[in-house]
Amino acid sequence: MKLTLEEISYLSKIFPHKNAIGLLSNVNAPLKGNEQETLTKKGFLENDKFAPGIEEFLAIVAQPERVCRLVVQSGYLFVEKYSYRKKDKLVLVENENRDILLSVPDDLKRVVHQMIDLFGGSNLKTVDFSQKFSKNELFTFFAIVDLYRKDTLRAYLNETSTTGSFTLEQIAQQLEKPSSTDLVAMLKANYKQLTLFDLNEPLSELRKRGLIEKEGSTKFTLVPMLLARNSLFVRSITLLEILALKQDVLSVLSVLFFNFSVHDVLRLQFLKDEVLVESVAARDQIQEIELAMACPEIEQGSTQGR
């Protein structure tokens, strides 16, 4: 069944029971005035009351126990899906050009097939990488990644060799004034506030872990260097979140994917005090999306760490 944003807003005003993570609490479009009529035609209302079975259906999206949010930006293509779980009932909600498609799927295979179309289904990845970073370490690491990306692109365009070595000033400049296509800028959008910090401490930690080496200027060791040079163009960005509300306590599991190619995918999971950064295969990404869209239980008190 398909509803407009205005119809959902109307339902939110007349449906008695809602919680903070439910669909009816998070849509507030100006009403046109004909919503009661259109909802009657669509079978939601009968004689100014909810039609049989509608209240039970709406209770799932209005008072869910858990919600999964999936947002994919791939060039001009925008995909947005939600799933709402209450006990053993699951409702899939999909944004289709401002119309909202609601369904009760037998499984999530249709979503999986759409994700395969978006990301490919390869189980291969170019490099194996897995590290946990503090916030300052994360931004320092990705500032160096951005500098490698720009250095590599300039070398391609000018038919020259890459330097692969950067000064403290270059890293600081990249952190302070990234361009809109830089990974640092994209990460900044996921943090409410980022204050300036001393680069020496995170750089020292990255050296201890064997991720960078110092020979006058900072440069990556082999694995992060390969990761950076295979991350030239962001093909798509995916936000995957699970929200759980239990006894008025909100728990959130948040994951961000950068897709550079079918074999180069970076997964960032926001933990309480750290961010886990790892390379994954496209098939792993799709499997995680399928699991998340089923709204599994998550650890109570989990947080994005932002």
Side-chain angles (χ1 to χ4, degrees), residues 49 115 168:
K49 296 181 180 179
M115 296 303 106
L168 192 69

Side-chain angles (χ1 to χ4, degrees), residues 129-131 133 138 142 227 238 240 253-260 264-271 275-281 284-285 288-289:
F129 182 86
S130 181
Q131 291 283 332
F133 297 109
L138 177 79
F142 275 100
L227 182 149
T238 301
L240 185 65
L253 187 151
S254 183
V255 176
L256 191 67
F257 292 95
F258 290 119
N259 290 68
F260 304 101
D264 297 284
V265 183
L266 270 185
R267 176 187 184 272
L268 285 72
Q269 181 176 349
F270 297 89
L271 307 172
V275 179
L276 172 63
V277 179
E278 55 187 342
S279 59
V280 298
D284 295 329
Q285 177 185 5
E288 183 167 1
I289 289 172

Side-chain angles (χ1 to χ4, degrees), residues 174-273:
Q174 177 59 29
L175 281 168
E176 185 179 355
K177 295 181 179 179
S179 65
S180 60
T181 57
D182 288 337
L183 300 180
V184 165
M186 298 176 194
L187 286 173
K188 277 187 173 183
N190 283 273
Y191 281 82
K192 294 179 181 178
Q193 185 177 6
L194 180 67
T195 56
L196 295 177
F197 56 89
D198 182 1
L199 277 169
N200 288 299
E201 184 176 343
L203 285 172
S204 176
E205 181 61 30
L206 295 179
R207 276 193 294 274
K208 288 178 184 176
R209 297 195 211 172
L211 298 175
I212 63 173
E213 54 190 35
K214 185 81 177 224
E215 294 179 359
S217 296
T218 297
K219 62 190 300 185
F220 273 148
T221 53
L222 180 60
V223 171
M225 188 236 349
L226 292 174
L227 182 149
R229 288 183 174 169
N230 284 299
S231 305
L232 299 186
F233 298 103
V234 181
R235 305 295 181 184
S236 64
I237 304 173
T238 301
L239 174 64
L240 185 65
E241 290 185 317
I242 301 175
L243 296 85
L245 190 62
K246 188 174 183 180
Q247 297 176 346
D248 294 326
V249 175
L250 178 64
S251 304
V252 182
L253 187 151
S254 183
V255 176
L256 191 67
F257 292 95
F258 290 119
N259 290 68
F260 304 101
S261 78
V262 69
H263 300 130
D264 297 284
V265 183
L266 270 185
R267 176 187 184 272
L268 285 72
Q269 181 176 349
F270 297 89
L271 307 172
K272 185 176 182 180
D273 298 311

Side-chain angles (χ1 to χ4, degrees), residues 143-158:
I144 302 172
V145 170
D146 279 335
L147 291 172
Y148 265 92
R149 294 168 73 222
K150 294 177 181 180
D151 189 41
T152 304
L153 284 170
R154 277 193 295 265
Y156 284 155
L157 291 172
N158 299 325

Side-chain angles (χ1 to χ4, degrees), residues 282-299:
R283 184 177 297 178
D284 295 329
Q285 177 185 5
I286 294 167
Q287 288 176 343
E288 183 167 1
I289 289 172
E290 182 180 16
L291 288 172
M293 291 297 289
C295 294
E297 291 190 19
I298 60 175
E299 183 180 350

